[in-house]
Amino acid sequence: MIRFEPRQDTPAILSILAPVFAAVAALALAAIPLAFAGAPILESYRLMVQGAFGSLFVFSETLTRTTPLILTGLAAAVAFRARLWNIGGEGQLYAGALAAVAVGTGIIDGPPVVMIPLVLVAGALAGALLMLGPTLLKLKFGADEVVTTLLLNFVMLLFVQMMLEGALQDPMSLGWPQSAPIIDSAALPPLLPRLRVHSGLILGLIAAVAVAILIRRTVWGFEIRAVGENAAAARFAGIPVTATMVRVALISGGLAGLAGVGEVAGLKGYLTSDLSPGFGYAGIVVAMLARLSPLGVVAAALFIAAIFVGADSMSRGTGVASYIADLVVALSLLCVLVGGFVTRYRIRLVGARKAEA
């Protein structure tokens, strides 16, 4: 008979290795459909690694894909720490991108030292406000934030499409639904010449360090962790639960909004309705793979980005559909959930007689 016993203390090495084993297990499980498709497994994974890290160009593309995943992963990690289930990173990303376009396409003009902070603040504020609504509904009326944040993703995308076909449409786009381009003084500078990786990556790394310090070294971080462990006990101990949840919502939404700013002001240069291929949803997988660790989010985002970028190279080399990347990401999430269960519970085999007693 199998018995699951809660662990009193989870070994640190187990917590560290669990995400690594989850990633390896996901790749091992993904080998099964690869084999059924007739692709050589080792060659497929070699092509995937080469396609993500094999040259400066492809590595820069991996880092470009990593940038929004770091920010949306941090957005999910911060919220989940307080048991605020923010599933609206995608909508908050678009809100940040829309705000960046609203202030960064020439309505306000100034030097980069003014315009870049202005665009970043506008995007973060837009994402934060979009997350604030569902949080207040949860606190005041008990509304399920999973539902409200998820539905706001679709509302925000429809609103963006309306604005791109109306007030924010570029008059030079010949009717194509896209915004005017971000002016040069509001654009995030590239990190390497002639490559797409931009300084939004530095912003993401700074945000990861800042969130790590916030969570582990500040009173606010202690309150966030306490509310996440047991909100009722935290309230009894005098922690302002409502204020803490509001702060978490603003930080989480702001981080996702910054991801949208990076995509329009650092990468694409203008806003379209297909700006994100699902960075907000992938950020949830990143946060779970990192076990909600802000610094772990950076490594998890790099792994997920490498899977997506490398899958294209693998697809060209083997003829297997690049949708295998989505499969690996999904399997990673499932393996993380299993790994989390193993870290919380000890599995014991109990003899039949002992079980009957």
Side-chain angles (χ1 to χ4, degrees), residues 60-351:
S60 71
E61 288 298 302
T62 301
L63 293 179
T64 301
R65 182 68 69 95
T66 301
T67 300
L69 291 176
I70 291 175
L71 291 166
T72 56
L74 288 172
V78 170
F80 291 0
R81 279 275 183 180
R83 294 189 182 274
L84 180 63
W85 309 114
N86 180 11
I87 315 298
E90 188 79 354
Q92 293 147 26
L93 181 151
Y94 273 102
L98 189 65
V101 165
V103 302
T105 52
I107 297 177
I108 302 173
D109 198 359
V113 70
V114 172
M115 292 304 300
I116 291 178
L118 181 62
V119 166
L120 292 175
V121 170
L125 184 61
L129 291 178
L130 191 64
M131 182 58 196
L132 181 61
T135 304
L136 293 178
L137 289 175
K138 171 187 175 69
L139 294 172
K140 297 298 183 182
F141 305 106
D144 188 344
E145 74 275 20
V146 172
V147 176
T148 52
T149 55
L150 179 62
L151 292 179
L152 273 178
N153 289 336
F154 304 103
V155 173
M156 192 66 222
L157 182 56
L158 290 172
F159 181 71
V160 167
Q161 291 173 343
M162 181 187 74
M163 295 299 290
L164 293 180
E165 294 181 1
L168 293 182
Q169 186 177 30
D170 184 3
M172 303 298 293
S173 66
L174 302 177
W176 188 259
Q178 69 179 47
S179 73
I182 295 285
I183 59 177
D184 291 341
S185 60
L188 299 180
L191 291 181
L192 295 172
R194 297 186 298 277
L195 295 175
R196 300 202 306 163
V197 61
H198 54 84
S199 54
L201 176 63
I202 305 299
L203 177 65
L205 296 176
I206 293 173
V209 174
V211 171
I213 294 173
L214 170 70
I215 295 296
R216 289 297 177 186
R217 303 294 182 183
T218 68
V219 174
W220 279 13
F222 173 77
E223 292 175 347
I224 290 171
R225 287 183 282 121
V227 170
E229 291 293 333
N230 191 318
R235 184 178 287 107
F236 182 78
I239 293 176
V241 174
T242 298
T244 299
M245 295 291 277
V246 169
R247 283 196 293 264
V248 168
L250 294 175
I251 294 171
S252 177
L255 288 166
L258 286 175
V261 176
E263 290 303 286
V264 294
L267 180 61
K268 201 165 186 177
Y270 54 89
L271 176 60
T272 60
S273 60
D274 61 349
L275 177 72
S276 169
F279 290 133
Y281 301 110
I284 298 172
V285 181
V286 168
M288 297 300 293
L289 187 59
R291 296 182 58 81
L292 308 186
S293 166
L295 298 181
V297 161
V298 177
L302 181 61
F303 170 74
I304 297 299
I307 293 297
F308 278 117
V309 175
D312 290 335
S313 176
M314 183 194 69
S315 176
R316 292 191 298 270
T318 62
V320 175
S322 60
Y323 290 113
I324 190 69
D326 297 314
L327 178 61
V328 172
V329 171
L331 289 173
S332 297
L333 179 57
L334 292 176
C335 292
V336 164
L337 296 176
V338 173
F341 180 83
V342 172
T343 58
R344 290 193 301 271
Y345 292 91
R346 181 181 289 107
I347 302 174
R348 289 191 182 276
L349 294 177
V350 182

